[in-house]
Each structure stands twice: as structure tokens, then as C-alpha cells.
């Protein structure tokens, strides 16, 4: 027979679908693609002009004003001053409160930020703050390892779930056994559960190698409870594997 | 052979794909579905709280304030007053200007609307105005025939392309030969090209019946140029069909 898709001849052993199912599947694919196009156009419609132009280093309002009504300042807690070479990033209260329950609580009550119209964002680089505001407007960010970590920290702090998941996905795609312990500890610190699970799974598969690394020693010193958690997961995995093997052996014995 | 999808037996004549192509197609489908999920979550993230609660008749701000900075008023040009039983609909300049180039021009210059903080929307029902504002915030609207027409008019006036396409799709799905002439005339009036093409195509397929309807007589009276356009399209279709038939006849003759 001839495959209607790749046009190759194939025998009964390599048979896939009948023609009817093939046609149905093709229709489904077309429908899914149409749905994707519609959703993409919806995203474009809902996306905001960002008051931060992500292409230039210094923010400038887009050629037209954005009716911004609040300023975000990258703030250095140690010096008690704005981060060097930074300027306040303008934003809309309506956007901030719509994206983040933390900003909502801040701006909808008579808190300092609401009264002054300025929100200090602590311990963040100017670039990360700009990228953060840009994401709140557009749901887009250009990530590298550092930016993904910086934005994840902000997403956790300001409870922007969508951004957190976005950063976690990026970091998970970059995971390897060498980085897994640092990632686990970082995920722990910032409540990033997807990253936590993914890095734990890699750690457990490479337990011996991981336990010989410098970061491991440091973590034992700094936060031994996290290391205990890892060992508990390791033990639990061992027990489960053993139980599964036993149950398999039992079945083999019974069959005999 | 057995179809891997529906499990039915089939013969060579009904063969669809080989197994490899089937597996590839399944993977593609999974990927498309994942993409759809991601886009849906992006839409949810970008969607705004609407200052209009679409479920209650009278607007009220959501339980928490929206930092709105402009009011939209459904305005009756004849009486020179707001539409009866309507209240001003609050909105954000940032949202309006981001969604509509007309609002942008209005609000970013020192026009009356920008100075007064109130925008009069003429000849619109209160419900349609509320639905319009809600769409600008959420990209969602609950349509029936009347609402789709009302929103299309607003979408055309304020150049909200995404909403126009949305309404056109709805109206096209409801088209039939009896309504086709009114739809064509409506589409003409409000620059709705998709609806225009779709209704013209139905008119041309039912020219004789359509030309006997009351709306046809009325349109000849009211706007004969539109009727001429329809006849021109009809003529052009006739000519093309004849040419295609001739060319087919020629081929048949030559073959003989």
C-alpha cells in the first residue's frame, strides 16, 4: 500500500491508520491551527504598548504618551538610594494591579506607595525591572539564565504566576546534573515548584556525583534542611523502586 | 490490516498512512494542543479586569477600584442628552488608546474629550457601549444578531479591527439568502469587507430570488449604486463562467 502522507510503499506490519481516520486527523490539525491563529491575534489585541521600550537601554515613553500614573524605582536597600544609572520606570496602576495581587494590595489601599505614586523595588537590577514592567504589559521577555532568575524572583515576590511559569520553563530547559543542586536551592527559596521537581528528579538520578560537588558541601553548611529533604526523597525513591521490583518478582514466581 | 486509530480492519483500497506518518501526526497534534494551552494562558494573563461587569445591567466598578481616568457616555444626538437610563461607563485612557487609534488621536491631543475626561459615543445603546468597553478590556463579547451589528458599527467607527473581524465572523455564520441583501448593504456602510464578500457570494448564487424581495426594491430606491455593484459582479461572474465553459469545450473538441 501507499501512504497518503509520505507516498512511500509500506506493508501490513507498518500500517498506520485507515483513510477515514487519516482524513479526520488532517481536519483536526487544520482546526487546531486555526484556533492557534485566532488566539495569536487575541494576544496581539490584548498586548499593551509598553511604557518601557525593551530595545533601548534607557526607557523612553513610546512616541505617544501612555497615561502612566505611577513610577517604579530599582532601589538598593544597602545604600538607601536608587540603583546607580537607573531612572524611574513609568507604569499604569491599572496594569500593575491587574497583573499582580501584591501591587493591587499596595495601590488600592492608602499605603505609602499609593500616596507617593512611587514604588520602590528592592534588590533588582535596572534591566530586570525594565524587563519585568515590559512583561506585565506584553507577556513577553527575552531571557538568558541571569534574566530568567531575576524575573523569577520578581514574579515570586509580586505573585505574577504567568511570568513565574515562563521563567521556570526556561530554566528547566537548561537544567543539567551539574547545575541541578543550585537550581533546587534557588527554586526552594523562591517557591518555584516546577523547577523544584525537575531539579530534584535530576539530582536523584545523579546522587553520587552531585554529593561530591562543592555546592553540595556549601549547601550542607548553609541550609542543611534542604539537603535532608533531598535525602528523604532519595530514600523514598529507593524504597519504591525496591517495592516495585519485589512485586515484579512475586508475579514472576506466581506465574511459575 | 488494522487501523491504529479506530481499530477497524481495512483493506488496501482504504489505506491511509503508514505507521511512521501516523506517529508523526500524533506528535504534531500534541504539540499544537500544547501551544493552544500556552496561548490561552497568555490571553488570560493579558486580559484586563473590566471596569464594566457584563453580568449586571448597571455597571459597577469591580469590588476593587480600576484606576479609571475617563468616562464614556452613550449619547443621543437628537436630544443632545445621554441615552435614557444610562450612566457614564468608566475606562482607562491607557486601555482605550492602546486598542483604538481613534481614541488615541482623541486623548493624546488637546481635544475636548481629553480636557473634559468624558467621551460622548453617539447613537449607541447603553448595552452596546458597555459591551464595547468590556471587549476592549477582555477581548470577549456575548453576541446575538443585534449586538454583533451594534459592535461592528462601533468597531468600524473607532477602528478596533479585532472586534470588527469577530463580529463579521459571527454575522457570516448566520448568513442566508434571505438576509444576504441587508447584510451586504450593512457591510457596505461600515466597511466590513469579509461580510461584504460573503454576502455578495450568496446573493450571486440566488440572484433571481433576491431580486424579487422587498429589500431589493427598497435598496434600488435608497442606494441604487450598491445594486449596480451587485449587477456588475453578477455580470462578471457570468462572463467568467461562460469563458470557463468555452475553454472546456475547446479542449473537448481538440481532443476529438
Amino acid at each position: 500500500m501507499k501512504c497518503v502522507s509520505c507516498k512511500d510503499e509500506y506493508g501490513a506490519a507498518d500500517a498506520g491508520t485507515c483513510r477515514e481516520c487519516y482524513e479526520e486527523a488532517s481536519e483536526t490539525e487544520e482546526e487546531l491551527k486555526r484556533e492557534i491563529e485566532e488566539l495569536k491575534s487575541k494576544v496581539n489585541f490584548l498586548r499593551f504598548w509598553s511604557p518601557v521600550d525593551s530595545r533601548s537601554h534607557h526607557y523612553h515613553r513610546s512616541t505617544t504618551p501612555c497615561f502612566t500614573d505611577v513610577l517604579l524605582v530599582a532601589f538598593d536597600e544597602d545604600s538607601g538610594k536608587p540603583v546607580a544609572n537607573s531612572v524611574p520606570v513609568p507604569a499604569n496602576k491599572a496594569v500593575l494591579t491587574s497583573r499582580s495581587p501584591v501591587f493591587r494590595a499596595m495601590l488600592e489601599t492608602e499605603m505609602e506607595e499609593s500616596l507617593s505614586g512611587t514604588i520602590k523595588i528592592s534588590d533588582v537590577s535596572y534591566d530586570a525591572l525594565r524587563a519585568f514592567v515590559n512583561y506585565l504589559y506584553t507577556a513577553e521577555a527575552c531571557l538568558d539564565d541571569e534574566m530568567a532568575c531575576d524575573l523569577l524572583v520578581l514574579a515570586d515576590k509580586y505573585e505574577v504566576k504567568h511570568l513565574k511559569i515562563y521563567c521556570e520553563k526556561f530554566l528547566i530547559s537548561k537544567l543539567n546534573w551539574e547545575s541541578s543542586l543550585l537550581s533546587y536551592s534557588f527554586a526552594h527559596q523562591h517557591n518555584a515548584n516546577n523547577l523544584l521537581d525537575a531539579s530534584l528528579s535530576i539530582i536523584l538520578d545523579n546522587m553520587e556525583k552531585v554529593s561530591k560537588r562543592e555546592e553540595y558541601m556549601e549547601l550542607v553548611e548553609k541550609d542543611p534542611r534542604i539537603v535532608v529533604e533531598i535525602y528523604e526523597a532519595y530514600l523514598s525513591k529507593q524504597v519504591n523502586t525496591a517495592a516495585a521490583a519485589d512485586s515484579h518478582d512475586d508475579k514472576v514466581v506466581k506465574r511459575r
Side-chain angles (χ1 to χ4, degrees), chain A residues 60-228:
Chain A
H60 64 88
R61 292 176 174 221
S62 40
T63 45
T64 44
C66 289
F67 304 105
T68 57
D69 51 11
V70 65
L71 292 173
L72 303 179
V73 177
F75 201 75
D76 181 11
E77 288 290 342
D78 292 336
S79 71
K81 285 183 186 165
V83 168
N85 296 322
S86 74
V87 291
V89 176
N92 292 85
K93 287 180 181 174
V95 175
L96 299 188
T97 55
S98 166
R99 310 294 194 233
S100 151
V102 176
F103 284 133
R104 199 185 313 158
M106 229 178 239
L107 293 169
E108 286 180 356
T109 51
E110 302 272 297
M111 281 171 74
E112 189 199 330
E113 292 84 359
S114 168
L115 299 171
S116 67
T118 301
I119 302 176
K120 291 176 191 167
I121 312 279
S122 298
D123 302 320
V124 63
S125 72
Y126 179 47
D127 278 347
L129 175 61
R130 285 160 39 81
F132 182 56
V133 173
N134 193 58
Y135 195 90
L136 299 182
Y137 279 76
T138 63
E140 273 183 355
C142 186
L143 299 183
D144 56 23
D145 288 2
E146 195 187 336
M147 185 58 87
C149 289
D150 287 354
L151 287 181
L152 193 151
V153 171
L154 286 169
D156 178 48
K157 192 165 167 191
Y158 294 97
E159 295 178 26
V160 185
K161 267 189 214 159
H162 193 265
L163 175 57
K164 192 191 241 183
I165 291 171
Y166 183 70
C167 295
E168 282 185 287
K169 266 190 196 156
F170 178 88
L171 292 170
I172 288 169
S173 77
K174 300 277 176 173
L175 267 181
N176 56 47
W177 77 265
E178 282 142 315
S179 67
S180 58
L181 197 65
L182 279 182
S183 291
Y184 184 80
S185 155
F186 175 77
H188 216 283
Q189 206 176 340
H190 302 290
N191 314 301
N193 291 332
N194 299 317
L195 182 60
L196 199 76
D197 292 348
S199 45
L200 181 61
S201 154
I202 294 183
I203 293 171
L204 297 186
D205 288 345
N206 298 276
M207 202 58 190
E208 208 189 321
K209 285 193 286 180
V210 169
S211 70
K212 284 177 185 142
R213 286 183 71 83
E214 205 174 314
E215 301 96 76
Y216 173 83
M217 322 293 178
E218 283 169 14
L219 195 60
V220 172
E221 280 302 307
K222 212 183 73 185
D223 203 343
R225 268 180 304 183
I226 292 187
V227 182
V228 172

Side-chain angles (χ1 to χ4, degrees), chain A residues 236-249:
Chain A
S236 156
K237 189 184 165 194
Q238 296 272 321
V239 172
N240 286 339
T241 312
D246 278 356
S247 121
H248 179 257
D249 287 351

Side-chain angles (χ1 to χ4, degrees), chain A residues 3-54:
Chain A
C3 172
V4 297
S5 178
C6 66
K7 311 294 178 202
D8 277 356
E9 293 288 337
Y10 66 92
D14 293 323
T17 63
C18 65
R19 186 176 289 267
E20 208 174 309
C21 286
Y22 163 71
E23 279 163 8
E24 262 178 39
S26 306
E27 270 175 40
T28 309
E29 195 178 318
E30 286 310 307
E31 273 169 33
L32 293 175
K33 283 183 181 164
R34 268 197 299 277
E35 195 177 344
I36 286 175
E37 284 315 305
E38 280 181 19
L39 283 166
K40 279 186 180 168
S41 102
K42 215 174 218 186
V43 165
N44 274 333
F45 174 72
L46 288 169
R47 189 172 277 155
F48 247 80
W49 295 337
S50 166
V52 180
D53 184 336
S54 55

